[in-house]
Tab-separated table of all heavy atoms in Angstrom:
chain	number	residue	atom	x	y	z
A	183	ALA	N	-3.951	-9.467	34.964
A	183	ALA	CA	-3.472	-9.959	33.675
A	183	ALA	C	-4.108	-11.329	33.337
A	183	ALA	O	-4.465	-11.565	32.166
A	183	ALA	CB	-1.942	-10.067	33.711
A	184	LEU	N	-4.192	-12.196	34.294
A	184	LEU	CA	-4.764	-13.518	34.062
A	184	LEU	C	-6.224	-13.447	33.667
A	184	LEU	O	-6.692	-14.131	32.752
A	184	LEU	CB	-4.563	-14.439	35.318
A	184	LEU	CG	-3.142	-14.836	35.622
A	184	LEU	CD1	-3.075	-15.459	37.024
A	184	LEU	CD2	-2.657	-15.910	34.607
A	185	ALA	N	-6.977	-12.629	34.365
A	185	ALA	CA	-8.421	-12.510	34.054
A	185	ALA	C	-8.659	-11.800	32.760
A	185	ALA	O	-9.537	-12.232	31.985
A	185	ALA	CB	-9.123	-11.708	35.212
A	186	ALA	N	-7.853	-10.784	32.449
A	186	ALA	CA	-7.982	-10.162	31.103
A	186	ALA	C	-7.529	-11.193	30.046
A	186	ALA	O	-8.137	-11.231	28.933
A	186	ALA	CB	-7.105	-8.928	31.064
A	187	GLY	N	-6.545	-11.963	30.337
A	187	GLY	CA	-6.116	-13.044	29.422
A	187	GLY	C	-7.218	-14.050	29.192
A	187	GLY	O	-7.340	-14.514	28.055
A	188	TYR	N	-7.981	-14.375	30.223
A	188	TYR	CA	-9.105	-15.265	30.017
A	188	TYR	C	-10.065	-14.722	28.964
A	188	TYR	O	-10.478	-15.461	28.058
A	188	TYR	CB	-9.837	-15.457	31.345
A	188	TYR	CG	-11.220	-16.001	31.184
A	188	TYR	CD1	-11.458	-17.346	30.921
A	188	TYR	CD2	-12.326	-15.115	31.192
A	188	TYR	CE1	-12.729	-17.806	30.730
A	188	TYR	CE2	-13.613	-15.603	31.004
A	188	TYR	CZ	-13.789	-16.940	30.747
A	188	TYR	OH	-15.092	-17.407	30.549
A	189	LEU	N	-10.371	-13.430	29.114
A	189	LEU	CA	-11.361	-12.844	28.161
A	189	LEU	C	-10.787	-12.805	26.719
A	189	LEU	O	-11.522	-13.122	25.790
A	189	LEU	CB	-11.754	-11.447	28.633
A	189	LEU	CG	-12.563	-11.373	29.851
A	189	LEU	CD1	-12.526	-9.956	30.470
A	189	LEU	CD2	-13.999	-11.788	29.609
A	190	VAL	N	-9.543	-12.483	26.607
A	190	VAL	CA	-8.938	-12.411	25.267
A	190	VAL	C	-8.836	-13.747	24.640
A	190	VAL	O	-9.181	-13.923	23.422
A	190	VAL	CB	-7.538	-11.734	25.347
A	190	VAL	CG1	-6.730	-11.906	24.066
A	190	VAL	CG2	-7.695	-10.230	25.688
A	191	PHE	N	-8.399	-14.770	25.341
A	191	PHE	CA	-8.213	-16.055	24.733
A	191	PHE	C	-9.554	-16.856	24.651
A	191	PHE	O	-9.666	-17.698	23.770
A	191	PHE	CB	-7.105	-16.851	25.463
A	191	PHE	CG	-5.785	-16.451	25.083
A	191	PHE	CD1	-5.131	-15.443	25.799
A	191	PHE	CD2	-5.141	-16.998	23.949
A	191	PHE	CE1	-3.843	-14.985	25.444
A	191	PHE	CE2	-3.874	-16.535	23.576
A	191	PHE	CZ	-3.240	-15.538	24.308
A	192	HIS	N	-10.484	-16.519	25.471
A	192	HIS	CA	-11.806	-17.096	25.340
A	192	HIS	C	-12.450	-16.585	24.021
A	192	HIS	O	-13.088	-17.324	23.257
A	192	HIS	CB	-12.671	-16.775	26.520
A	192	HIS	CG	-13.997	-17.520	26.570
A	192	HIS	ND1	-15.137	-17.104	25.933
A	192	HIS	CD2	-14.322	-18.754	27.142
A	192	HIS	CE1	-16.079	-17.952	26.146
A	192	HIS	NE2	-15.658	-18.941	26.838
A	193	ASP	N	-12.281	-15.262	23.766
A	193	ASP	CA	-12.775	-14.666	22.551
A	193	ASP	C	-12.073	-15.273	21.356
A	193	ASP	O	-12.687	-15.422	20.271
A	193	ASP	CB	-12.571	-13.179	22.614
A	193	ASP	CG	-12.977	-12.470	21.297
A	193	ASP	OD1	-14.161	-12.377	21.041
A	193	ASP	OD2	-12.053	-12.014	20.573
A	194	LYS	N	-10.809	-15.621	21.477
A	194	LYS	CA	-10.071	-16.234	20.421
A	194	LYS	C	-10.605	-17.649	20.092
A	194	LYS	O	-10.407	-18.193	19.022
A	194	LYS	CB	-8.604	-16.313	20.793
A	194	LYS	CG	-7.600	-16.982	19.796
A	194	LYS	CD	-6.217	-16.975	20.321
A	194	LYS	CE	-5.271	-17.611	19.288
A	194	LYS	NZ	-5.419	-19.113	19.259
A	195	GLY	N	-11.275	-18.275	21.062
A	195	GLY	CA	-11.776	-19.624	20.907
A	195	GLY	C	-10.951	-20.693	21.600
A	195	GLY	O	-11.208	-21.866	21.438
A	196	ASP	N	-9.940	-20.260	22.355
A	196	ASP	CA	-9.098	-21.202	23.068
A	196	ASP	C	-9.667	-21.424	24.450
A	196	ASP	O	-9.190	-20.860	25.486
A	196	ASP	CB	-7.661	-20.650	23.154
A	196	ASP	CG	-6.642	-21.717	23.515
A	196	ASP	OD1	-7.029	-22.720	24.079
A	196	ASP	OD2	-5.457	-21.451	23.259
A	197	VAL	N	-10.724	-22.279	24.494
A	197	VAL	CA	-11.477	-22.384	25.745
A	197	VAL	C	-10.660	-23.047	26.869
A	197	VAL	O	-10.687	-22.577	28.033
A	197	VAL	CB	-12.781	-23.175	25.455
A	197	VAL	CG1	-13.583	-23.407	26.771
A	197	VAL	CG2	-13.635	-22.400	24.456
A	198	ALA	N	-9.977	-24.131	26.548
A	198	ALA	CA	-9.224	-24.820	27.590
A	198	ALA	C	-8.216	-23.936	28.226
A	198	ALA	O	-8.061	-23.879	29.451
A	198	ALA	CB	-8.635	-26.077	27.003
A	199	TYR	N	-7.464	-23.192	27.369
A	199	TYR	CA	-6.421	-22.331	27.908
A	199	TYR	C	-7.040	-21.175	28.730
A	199	TYR	O	-6.521	-20.845	29.798
A	199	TYR	CB	-5.571	-21.786	26.780
A	199	TYR	CG	-4.429	-20.899	27.261
A	199	TYR	CD1	-3.403	-21.425	28.028
A	199	TYR	CD2	-4.397	-19.544	26.939
A	199	TYR	CE1	-2.348	-20.598	28.486
A	199	TYR	CE2	-3.355	-18.728	27.357
A	199	TYR	CZ	-2.339	-19.277	28.130
A	199	TYR	OH	-1.332	-18.443	28.583
Side-chain angles (χ1 to χ4, degrees):
L184 290 166
Y188 161 79
L189 289 164
V190 166
F191 281 92
H192 191 272
D193 177 70
K194 179 179 181 288
D196 197 339
V197 176
Y199 181 65

